[in-house]
Amino acid sequence: MEPAVEVKNLDLAYNNFVVMRGLNFNIKKGEVFVIMGGSGCGKSTLLKTMIGLNSPQAGEILYNGLSFWNIDEQERQLIMRRFGVLYQGGALWSSLTLRENVALPLQLYSNLSVSQIQDVALLKLGLVGLGDYADFYPAELSGGMKKRAGLARAIALDPEFIFFDEPSAGLDPLSAKMLDDLILDLRDNLGTTIVVVTHELASIFAIGDNAVLLDADTKGAIAQGRPEDLLANSKDPRVVSFLTRGEKQGAGR
Amino acid sequence: MPSEKLVFDYSRPKTLQLKITGDWQLSAGLPPVNEVSVQLEANTDIEQIGFIVSEDFKWDSAFISFLFKLYDISGQKKIQLSTQGLPAHVVKLLKLAPAQIKKIIPDKAIEESFLDKIGGRVIGIKDAVLSVLDFLGDIFLAFKRFAAGKAFFRKDDFLVIVQKCGSDALGLVSLITLLVGVILAFIGAIQLKMFGAQIYIADIVGIAMVRVMGAIMTAVLVSGRTGASFAAELGIMQANEEIDALKTLGVSPVEFLVMPRVLALVIMMPLLTLYADLMGIIGGFTVSVTVLGLNPVEYFNHTITAVKLSNLWLGLIHSFVFGIIIAISGCYRGMECERSSAGVGEATTSAVVTSITAIVIATAVITFVCQIIGV
């Protein structure tokens, strides 16, 4: 079966500083794919490139075999419409209530009537456990609630691909677990392909079907595969020390 | 004077023993390390430094930093430092801290040559001009889509902006322009009194306010109020990734956020200016009639004959141009904002500075053009 996402020979730069060279990996349809790596290794830049916010220096990303970067802006927009993105802080539009936040993508790209849009928005908020807070503004919510509301907005249009930027960063263990469960629910029930950028080990093992580990020094991927397999089989001390918080196989300290 | 906390003991051969007593914490202060180096200079046969610690010795990281300095000094002189006699935790902390601290110089701090700097500046100017043109182009395209009825933005947002930059500013605009009218009247009175032509205060106040002062005063107030708030709002949206969220949804942030702001200000500036003109004239009128003792009817008639319609149009053209300038510089600075709290502060400041500078330049240009075409 054709992979849902193919990253081919990707070169990335952040502020003219090259962070990644010749990156290659594939993501299967309907899996949770984790992009992991230490701080500053280019995870976020890679994510921005995958969602169309930052153009690569060279290389290509294919979604269902369709070129994403070697096409014009308008065609790219069409592919981007199949994306849902959960940003690190939620990135809810602060002048809109939660319901309006979730309704906005629907207003843009659905053929529903105004009242139907309201219903769908409320349903999505209910899915993340925020149905009661539909008329609150983002500033009135806690960090964990903002993230969940951000997820409700990300799934508003039932996207094929959902991207998560550090989903558990800044959350207490229970909220982080809840978000992980939501991610698995999306994969199991909607068949969504999910890309998660994170460095939280608990999440990596809980949700990752496949993973790639990026490394800042070599500016490339140093391991790919199922997180458990990587932990069990990898001979690379950098991989093992990352996956065990440096507790096994001399992290080089 | 040697400190009481640190006493030097030479009882063992070739060894300097430091007797350490009392409070060596950050709050209590430290004896300078020089005292030890002075001792080492005086006794060149020393090969080892040891420590004798008293019962009442109290320490924290201040003591550790003292020890680090000591390591440095003893290392240079090839003198051994024996950690025996120090508390066990101190020894552990010493091991934890890096033996040598390298200074890493961030890229930015590296000295550039003079030519590098000039080149960098020139390229910077080129980039800035290009990015402004890019932004103006985006605004133009957004308005084109708006004219075709295809622009996507929230009408509610637009109305809130209209209210914020329009009616909410009325109080401030009233106060300031009323006072400007009063000031103009008083200044005019001093000069015109010499010719007994005080009634011409009506002409001065009327023409000055309507032709340019009303528009300029309003613009300065609005750029401080609204321009700054545009920059801060958009800057924080940039920092919160709200603008990224719009982009990934395929919504143009210029269309959704910038265009309603520009539109609102372009509509409200002329209206505010008309109001400001009126308030200025009322201010001048009040002073002239009550303090300077002019005839109210005569003042009124003079104002009407002096202020021509062309003056009014000119004032409105000013305010229209100022509205565009304030809205665009506020929004541009906000959109270009760095993703940090300092970035938002900078964006706000430069929005106000840019718009006031541009307002003065635009006024000069308009005045010059009017001079040439004789309006």
Side-chain angles (χ1 to χ4, degrees):
Chain A
M1 194 177 71
E2 186 181 53
V5 187
E6 289 168 77
V7 169
K8 286 184 172 172
N9 297 320
L10 206 62
D11 285 5
L12 300 176
Y14 178 72
N15 284 345
N16 294 324
F17 179 75
V18 175
V19 292
M20 208 42 68
R21 260 198 203 107
L23 188 63
N24 283 293
F25 60 83
N26 289 343
I27 302 175
K28 289 196 209 81
K29 190 170 161 36
E31 74 173 358
V32 176
F33 188 87
V34 180
I35 297 169
M36 49 193 190
S39 299
C41 70
K43 294 190 303 272
S44 297
T45 312
L46 173 60
L47 184 78
K48 285 197 165 171
T49 311
M50 292 183 78
I51 60 180
L53 291 176
N54 173 49
S55 56
Q57 302 287 94
E60 177 61 297
I61 302 175
L62 304 177
Y63 286 99
N64 295 329
L66 293 173
S67 164
F68 186 58
W69 279 110
N70 291 328
I71 48 174
D72 66 36
E73 176 79 33
Q74 267 155 0
E75 287 176 77
R76 184 156 51 247
Q77 294 280 354
L78 286 180
I79 298 181
M80 280 163 69
R81 238 176 251 181
R82 300 191 235 156
F83 294 173
V85 185
L86 175 58
Y87 294 87
Q88 222 178 97
L92 296 165
W93 297 304
S94 42
S95 64
L96 277 59
T97 64
L98 294 196
R99 190 205 297 258
E100 289 169 332
N101 261 286
V102 182
L104 193 85
L106 293 160
Q107 280 171 28
L108 275 166
Y109 301 122
S110 76
N111 283 320
L112 303 177
S113 72
V114 175
S115 72
Q116 284 167 330
I117 285 177
Q118 297 301 317
D119 295 342
V120 176
L122 205 57
L123 167 77
K124 303 276 163 158
L125 281 170
L127 284 179
V128 298
L130 286 175
D132 300 343
Y133 296 90
D135 295 318
F136 280 58
Y137 284 93
E140 299 164 333
L141 301 178
S142 72
M145 288 159 102
K146 277 186 210 166
K147 270 204 167 154
R148 278 189 278 154
L151 179 58
R153 187 181 67 189
I155 59 172
L157 290 164
D158 290 349
E160 257 180 86
F161 304 94
I162 306 185
F163 299 87
F164 289 81
D165 189 5
E166 307 270 1
S168 37
L171 293 188
D172 62 90
L174 281 180
S175 310
K177 170 81 168 63
M178 190 184 160
L179 207 57
D180 284 350
D181 291 345
L182 274 170
I183 292 173
L184 293 179
D185 278 343
L186 288 171
R187 175 197 66 182
D188 294 341
N189 300 315
L190 295 169
T192 317
T193 306
I194 292 167
V195 181
V196 182
V197 166
T198 187
H199 50 220
E200 296 273 333
L201 286 178
S203 286
I204 291 171
F205 288 112
I207 60 174
D209 294 319
N210 255 313
V212 60
L213 177 61
L214 305 182
D215 181 60
D217 297 328
T218 53
K219 303 192 172 173
I222 53 173
Q224 291 184 37
R226 226 165 66 89
E228 289 86 348
D229 295 346
L230 290 178
L231 181 59
N233 303 330
S234 178
K235 302 223 163 31
D236 189 333
R238 291 170 300 180
V239 178
V240 177
S241 73
F242 183 89
L243 290 174
T244 58
R245 298 170 145 207
E247 279 161 19
K248 269 190 202 165
Q249 273 208 9
R253 282 207 182 203
Chain B
M1 188 193 107
S3 161
E4 285 168 18
K5 292 180 191 174
L6 182 63
V7 177
F8 301 100
D9 178 346
Y10 290 100
S11 57
R12 285 168 64 181
K14 294 191 174 182
T15 303
L16 169 59
Q17 283 186 300
L18 307 179
K19 278 190 173 168
I20 292 168
T21 50
D23 190 349
W24 281 64
Q25 298 180 91
L26 291 165
S27 53
L30 296 172
V33 190
N34 302 5
E35 288 184 19
V36 183
S37 10
V38 170
Q39 296 290 330
L40 291 176
E41 296 287 341
N43 304 282
T44 45
D45 62 331
I46 298 289
E47 284 173 3
Q48 198 182 28
I49 299 178
F51 297 91
I52 302 171
V53 172
S54 76
E55 287 277 299
D56 66 339
F57 172 55
K58 284 191 276 181
W59 61 277
D60 60 8
S61 57
F63 179 60
I64 306 284
S65 81
F66 177 86
L67 284 182
F68 257 111
K69 264 273 154 58
L70 206 56
Y71 255 115
D72 246 18
I73 294 168
S74 61
Q76 281 167 18
K77 293 190 190 297
K78 309 231 158 67
I79 297 172
Q80 267 219 324
L81 208 63
S82 150
T83 51
Q84 265 180 352
L86 286 175
H89 291 297
V90 170
V91 179
K92 271 192 185 160
L93 276 174
L94 265 177
K95 279 185 189 151
L96 200 65
Q100 234 185 356
I101 295 175
K102 273 184 284 179
K103 264 196 186 154
I104 299 176
I105 304 164
D107 282 353
K108 281 179 196 162
I110 294 172
E111 268 292 306
E112 286 179 317
S113 76
F114 180 64
L115 284 177
D116 270 354
K117 273 184 194 162
I118 294 183
R121 288 277 172 86
V122 172
I123 292 171
I125 292 173
K126 189 198 86 180
D127 288 349
V129 169
L130 284 181
S131 99
V132 170
L133 288 179
D134 205 30
F135 188 67
L136 291 179
D138 280 346
I139 293 180
F140 180 77
L141 287 178
F143 271 97
K144 216 175 103 185
R145 283 173 61 83
F146 175 67
K150 280 195 278 184
F152 180 76
F153 67 100
R154 286 171 32 105
K155 316 282 176 295
D156 289 1
D157 284 354
F158 170 71
L159 292 177
V160 169
I161 299 166
V162 164
Q163 188 195 344
K164 276 195 197 163
C165 70
S167 57
D168 287 359
L170 283 179
L172 190 63
V173 171
S174 310
L175 177 71
I176 299 297
T177 47
L178 203 70
L179 290 178
V180 169
V182 169
I183 294 166
L184 282 175
F186 271 124
I187 292 175
I190 298 166
Q191 301 302 317
L192 294 171
K193 210 174 184 179
M194 296 193 276
F195 312 103
Q198 266 164 305
I199 191 60
Y200 283 100
I201 291 171
D203 301 46
I204 288 179
V205 172
I207 292 176
M209 283 312 294
V210 172
R211 197 176 161 105
V212 66
M213 283 306 283
I216 286 194
M217 290 316 294
T218 315
V220 170
L221 291 175
V222 169
S223 63
R225 256 186 117 257
T226 310
S229 90
F230 283 179
E233 279 169 11
L234 297 186
I236 287 177
M237 286 185 182
Q238 189 71 269
N240 281 345
E241 300 182 305
E242 288 176 45
I243 290 179
D244 282 349
L246 284 174
K247 282 188 198 158
T248 37
L249 199 60
V251 175
S252 150
V254 171
E255 205 171 292
F256 192 77
L257 299 170
V258 175
M259 193 196 65
R261 286 177 166 74
V262 176
L263 193 64
L265 209 53
V266 166
I267 295 173
M268 292 320 284
M269 266 302 288
L271 294 178
L272 276 179
T273 300
L274 281 179
Y275 177 77
D277 295 347
L278 183 69
M279 293 313 283
I281 290 172
I282 291 176
F285 176 82
T286 315
V287 170
S288 306
V289 171
T290 55
V291 184
L292 306 173
L294 297 179
N295 181 333
V297 179
E298 208 181 343
Y299 188 99
F300 184 72
N301 288 336
H302 250 271
T303 305
I304 287 181
T305 40
V307 181
K308 305 226 170 50
L309 202 56
S310 64
N311 290 324
L312 187 76
W313 284 123
L314 199 60
L316 289 182
I317 289 172
H318 274 109
S319 68
F320 178 76
V321 173
F322 295 162
I324 294 176
I325 287 173
I326 296 167
I328 288 182
S329 46
C331 292
Y332 176 72
R333 294 298 183 187
M335 297 290 284
E336 294 291 301
C337 177
E338 252 180 63
R339 300 187 175 200
S340 66
S341 45
V344 174
E346 235 167 72
T348 326
T349 313
S350 61
V352 176
V353 173
T354 313
S355 55
I356 290 185
T357 314
I359 283 166
V360 174
I361 293 173
T363 313
V365 171
I366 296 176
T367 312
F368 188 69
V369 170
C370 289
Q371 199 69 43
I372 290 174
I373 61 176
V375 179

